[in-house]
Amino acid sequence: MDRLANTVRPYAWGSTTALPELLGTTPTGEPQAEMWLGAHPGAPSRIDRGAGPVSLAEVIDAAPEAELGADTVRAFGPRLPFLLKLLAAGSPLSLQVHPDRAQAAEGFADEERRGVPIDAGHRNYKDANHKPELIVALTLFDGLCGFRHPAQAADLLAGLGVDDLKPYVDILRASPEEDALREVLTAVLSAEHHAIAGTVERAAVAADQLAAQGGPHAAAYAAYAVLAHHYPGDPGVLAAMLLNHVQLQPGEALFLGAGIPHAYLGGLGVELMANSDNVLRCGLTPKHVDVPELLRVVRFEAGDAGVLRPEDVSGEEVYETPIDEFRLSRFVAAPGASPHTLPSRTPQILLCTAGTVRLREADAEAGAEAGAGDGDGDGDGAGLALAPGESVFVPAGERITLAGDGTLFRATVVA
C-alpha cells in the first residue's frame, strides 16, 4: 500500500475552515473546497515508492493490471474508474445534472465533430463517460436532490404569495406530473433575465420572512433565501424550489444518478464518483447554461430525495448503489476489536476521517504478533497509521487488515 499525497482545490464555494479542521492544518483564509484522491488527470494523487513522488496516474499507466487487477482492467479499461473526494461546501454549488453513458457519448462525439474546443466555456461534454455520484455527510449537510411532487412544489410556491408565480402554480396543479415539471422548468430557465429577476427577488424576500416564522417548510424556505443571497435574480433559485430540500445527518448519504437535478448547499462530506467531468448546469452559476441540452438530459421524475444509510455486511458498512465503477463503504474501528481483513481482488483507496486507524499488510500480521513492529508508523515497512484526512492506495491483490480507534472509508469497484 502507498500513502497518498493529495491536492486541495480552492474553488470559490469552498469552506475556509472545514478541511483544515479535519486535516489538523492552519486555515489560510482562502476557500478549500475539495481534496481529490485518485488518478484523475486534473489533480492526481502522488505516491513515493522510494524514487521520489510520482503521480498515481503514471504508476497505473505503467502497469495497469499489476495495480488495478485483470478483472478491473477488463471491466473498465486501464484507468482507475473512480475519484474519491473530501468535499467542503461553504456556500452553494451550482444546480446541475449529469448525463447517462449514452447521452455523454453522443454529446461528446457531437462536440468533437463540430470542433468545439475541449476547454471552451460553452462546451458541455469533456469526455464520453457518465458521472454518477455518492455523497456521505461527515457533518450536517444541506442539499437539493430530485424533483418534488408537483403538488408539493405548487404548495411551496403558492405559500410565498408572489403573484408572478401563480402561472407556475397552476401548471403544477393541473398538468400530468412529468409535463408539469418539464413545462415549469423550461419556462423558468428560458425566461429573459430582466423579466424574471424581479420575480426571483420577491420570492426570496418572502422565503426569508417565512423561514423566520417557522412551519413545515421553514428549512426549505431558508435554503432558498440563502441561494438568492448568493445568486440574486438567478432563475436557478426558482428552479431549485422545484427540488427536494434535504439535510443529511452524519453518516447519511445521497446517490445522484443520471438526469437527477441536484445541488450541494453546505457541509463536509466524502464524495465518490465515476471518472468524468460532464456537468450540465441549471443555474446558480455564472457559467454556461445550455437549456436545450439540459432539458434533453433531465429526468422529470418526482419522488423523495432517497436518503441512503449504510448496510452492515460482516462489519463493513456499505452504501449500496446501482453502479459498478465504484463502491463506498465505512469501517468504524474500536479499541480491542479483532483486526478486519479487507477483500483484495480490486484496487482500493482508504481514507481516515476520524480517530486513528492502523493498517497492516495481512501477510505481515503473523510477524507483527511475534514482535516485528507495532504497525503504528511507516518505519516497519508493513504498517501505517492514518490520522483524519490521511489516505492510502492499495493495489489489487494486497491483503490489508485494519484496527484502531477511528473511522475509515473504503473506495473500490464492484468485484
Side-chain angles (χ1 to χ4, degrees):
M1 57 183 160
D2 303 281
R3 188 181 289 275
L4 295 176
N6 304 304
T7 298
V8 174
R9 310 304 294 265
Y11 304 134
W13 50 261
S15 168
T16 59
T17 59
L19 278 180
E21 286 176 3
L22 179 70
L23 300 174
T25 58
T26 302
T28 64
E30 299 298 320
Q32 298 184 43
E34 296 180 345
M35 186 171 79
W36 288 22
L37 301 86
H40 190 285
S45 301
R46 299 169 303 285
I47 65 174
D48 188 343
R49 292 181 174 173
V54 62
S55 158
L56 179 60
E58 294 177 11
V59 172
I60 292 172
D61 285 346
E65 287 204 4
E67 303 296 335
L68 305 178
D71 290 344
T72 299
V73 172
R74 189 179 306 112
F76 308 110
R79 302 288 184 271
L80 190 67
F82 61 81
L83 175 63
L84 183 65
K85 297 180 180 179
L86 278 171
L87 183 147
S91 59
L93 283 68
S94 63
L95 187 61
Q96 58 188 252
V97 68
H98 306 301
D100 63 26
R101 188 179 281 109
Q103 291 165 336
E106 181 181 348
F108 180 76
D110 175 64
E111 290 185 323
E112 288 288 278
R113 191 165 47 246
R114 291 190 286 117
V116 181
I118 197 71
D119 57 353
H122 63 284
R123 174 132 186 175
N124 293 315
Y125 297 96
K126 308 295 186 183
D127 52 69
N129 199 14
H130 65 164
K131 192 188 179 186
E133 299 175 352
L134 177 70
I135 183 79
V136 179
L138 295 180
T139 65
L140 186 66
F141 196 96
D142 242 8
L144 303 171
C145 180
F147 287 108
R148 295 176 180 270
H149 288 286
Q152 296 172 353
D155 290 344
L156 190 83
L157 292 177
L160 294 169
V162 176
D163 289 344
D164 295 347
L165 296 177
K166 189 175 185 305
Y168 304 144
V169 172
D170 292 343
I171 294 168
L172 290 167
R173 285 180 172 162
S175 302
E177 183 173 279
E178 181 176 338
D179 294 343
L181 294 170
R182 180 183 295 274
E183 187 172 351
V184 173
L185 184 65
T186 302
V188 166
L189 297 183
S190 302
E192 293 290 339
H193 181 79
H194 68 84
I196 203 168
T199 303
V200 173
E201 290 304 311
R202 288 186 286 277
V205 170
D208 196 31
Q209 293 171 344
L210 289 167
Q213 294 173 14
H217 297 306
Y221 282 138
Y224 301 134
V226 169
L227 292 179
H229 170 74
H230 285 282
Y231 300 99
D234 192 318
V237 175
L238 298 183
M241 292 183 180
L242 299 175
L243 306 186
N244 296 296
H245 172 246
V246 60
Q247 291 183 313
L248 298 179
Q249 298 296 319
E252 293 181 334
L254 289 174
F255 172 69
L256 295 318
I260 305 301
H262 62 277
Y264 301 148
L265 307 183
L268 177 66
V270 173
E271 186 180 37
L272 185 59
M273 62 181 62
N275 246 335
S276 172
D277 290 324
N278 288 326
V279 176
L280 290 157
R281 295 174 179 84
C282 315
L284 310 179
T285 176
K287 296 182 179 180
H288 177 61
V289 177
D290 184 336
V291 175
E293 186 64 15
L294 171 72
L295 295 174
R296 186 179 80 90
V297 168
V298 170
R299 293 183 180 177
F300 291 95
E301 301 170 356
D304 62 32
V307 174
L308 295 178
R309 295 171 182 85
E311 300 179 11
D312 188 280
V313 181
S314 301
E316 182 179 17
E317 299 178 342
V318 180
Y319 292 90
E320 294 287 355
T321 72
I323 299 299
D324 290 339
E325 285 102 320
F326 61 69
R327 178 182 185 272
L328 187 66
S329 59
R330 182 180 69 174
F331 294 90
V332 180
S338 299
H340 194 107
T341 301
L342 303 181
S344 60
R345 286 183 55 198
T346 57
Q348 308 170 63
I349 291 180
L350 308 178
L351 167 67
C352 177
T353 58
T356 301
V357 178
R358 297 189 303 277
L359 305 176
R360 182 181 296 279
E361 295 174 13
D363 294 341
E365 196 69 33
E369 292 174 356
D374 62 7
D376 289 338
D378 297 345
D380 63 3
L384 294 175
L386 299 186
E390 295 183 335
S391 56
V392 298
F393 170 70
V394 183
E398 272 195 36
R399 295 177 65 245
I400 299 296
T401 65
L402 69 89
D405 183 10
T407 301
L408 184 85
F409 281 85
R410 174 178 181 254
T412 185
V413 302
V414 175

